[in-house]
């Protein structure tokens, strides 16, 4: 009994089982390789997706930065234009609202209230040297005479000539309250008009 051999049918079964176990190894290895390959594909996909997302984020940031720069550069000229918008920035403004600029210095006396003066003037609507010139003593070639501070002329003239020296020439800008107010004058100057004068004090009489 000790030396008894293994029956043929059992031997065949053992051989088949061993063969089956032997054949399973490549299958496991193949499955393992497939998992590794799938993991590699997933990793590559994730890396590709992350790269695309990062690129998209960078592009959005670049776009926003460039847009902000364009908007800022477009805004700068507007600010510069606003600073240059007032053509009378060099003019002096009195408490009454009159603006004036001395264009020629005088060296004579200053008239007192009630004194008669001789003057040249040119008047415009809508700005100096505009097409709407409404009067000019220079065009007539005859200076204008009046008493300073006596109410013979508009308020702006009384105020201006009361501080001018003989020989002085000014450009003055008069708001309506220093000119003809809301009523206007003679159908030539409308109500509420701002007046622009170039005046020159020629003499005190």
């Amino acid at each position: 009994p000790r030396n008894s051999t293994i029956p043929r049918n059992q031997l065949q079964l053992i051989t088949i089982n061993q063969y089956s176990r032997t054949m399973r190894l490549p299958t496991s290895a193949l499955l393992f390789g497939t998992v590794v390959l799938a993991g590699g594909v997933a990793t590559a996909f994730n890396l590709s997706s992350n790269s695309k997302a990062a690129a998209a984020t960078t592009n959005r940031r670049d776009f926003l930065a460039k847009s902000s720069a364009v908007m800022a550069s477009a805004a700068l000229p507007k600010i510069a234009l606003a600073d240059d918008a007032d053509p009378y920035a060099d003019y002096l403004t009195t408490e009454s609202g009159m603006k004036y600029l001395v264009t020629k210095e005088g060296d004579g006396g200053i008239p007192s209230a009630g004194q008669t003066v001789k003057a040249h003037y040119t008047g415009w609507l809508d700005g100096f040297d505009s097409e709407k010139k409404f009067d000019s003593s220079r065009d007539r070639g005859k200076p204008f005479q009046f008493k300073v501070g006596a109410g013979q002329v508009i308020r702006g003239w009384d105020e201006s000539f009361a501080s001018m020296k003989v020989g002085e020439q000014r450009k003055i800008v008069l708001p309506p309250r220093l000119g003809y107010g809301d009523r206007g004058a003679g159908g030539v100057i409308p109500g509420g008009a701002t007046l622009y004068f170039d005046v020159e004090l020629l003499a005190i009489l």
Side-chain angles (χ1 to χ4, degrees):
R2 292 182 179 177
N3 296 326
S4 61
T5 60
I6 300 173
R8 182 180 297 274
N9 57 350
Q10 294 183 5
L11 179 61
Q12 290 177 350
L13 181 60
I14 292 172
T15 302
I16 292 173
N17 289 338
Q18 288 176 346
Y19 177 77
S20 299
R21 285 195 296 270
T22 303
M23 291 302 291
R24 288 195 190 98
L25 291 176
T27 303
S28 302
L30 180 60
L31 291 174
F32 177 75
T34 302
V35 172
V36 172
L37 178 60
V41 172
T43 302
F45 177 78
N46 288 337
L47 289 175
S48 176
S49 299
N50 290 338
S51 298
K52 291 181 180 179
T57 301
T58 302
N59 290 337
R60 283 197 299 271
R61 289 176 179 172
D62 291 342
F63 174 77
L64 291 174
K66 290 178 181 178
S67 299
S68 298
V70 170
M71 292 176 66
S73 62
L76 288 177
K78 294 181 181 179
I79 296 175
L81 288 174
D83 291 339
D84 296 338
D86 185 4
Y88 308 111
D90 294 333
Y91 284 56
L92 297 176
T93 303
T94 67
E95 292 182 0
S96 67
M98 178 181 72
K99 297 178 185 294
Y100 73 93
L101 178 67
V102 176
T103 57
K104 185 178 77 172
E105 296 288 347
D107 55 6
I110 298 174
S112 300
Q115 285 187 303
T116 300
V117 298
K118 183 168 62 174
H120 263 320
Y121 69 91
T122 302
W124 297 271
L125 300 172
D126 297 342
F128 295 103
D129 300 317
S130 74
E131 295 180 355
K132 294 185 178 181
K133 180 169 64 175
F134 58 81
D135 196 7
S136 176
S137 64
R138 295 183 178 96
D139 291 348
R140 292 191 298 270
K142 183 179 180 180
F144 179 71
Q145 297 182 14
F146 67 98
K147 287 184 178 181
V148 175
Q152 294 180 348
V153 292
I154 56 178
R155 288 176 56 193
W157 268 43
D158 272 337
E159 179 182 346
S160 183
F161 280 95
S163 61
M164 292 176 67
K165 295 180 179 180
V166 172
E168 182 178 327
Q169 188 170 351
R170 290 182 179 183
K171 287 185 174 182
I172 60 176
V173 181
L174 304 180
R177 64 178 175 277
L178 298 180
Y180 294 97
D182 294 332
R183 70 183 186 278
V188 177
I189 300 174
T194 297
L195 307 178
Y196 303 82
F197 285 101
D198 186 316
V199 296
E200 182 180 4
L201 179 56
L202 300 175
I204 299 174
L205 303 178

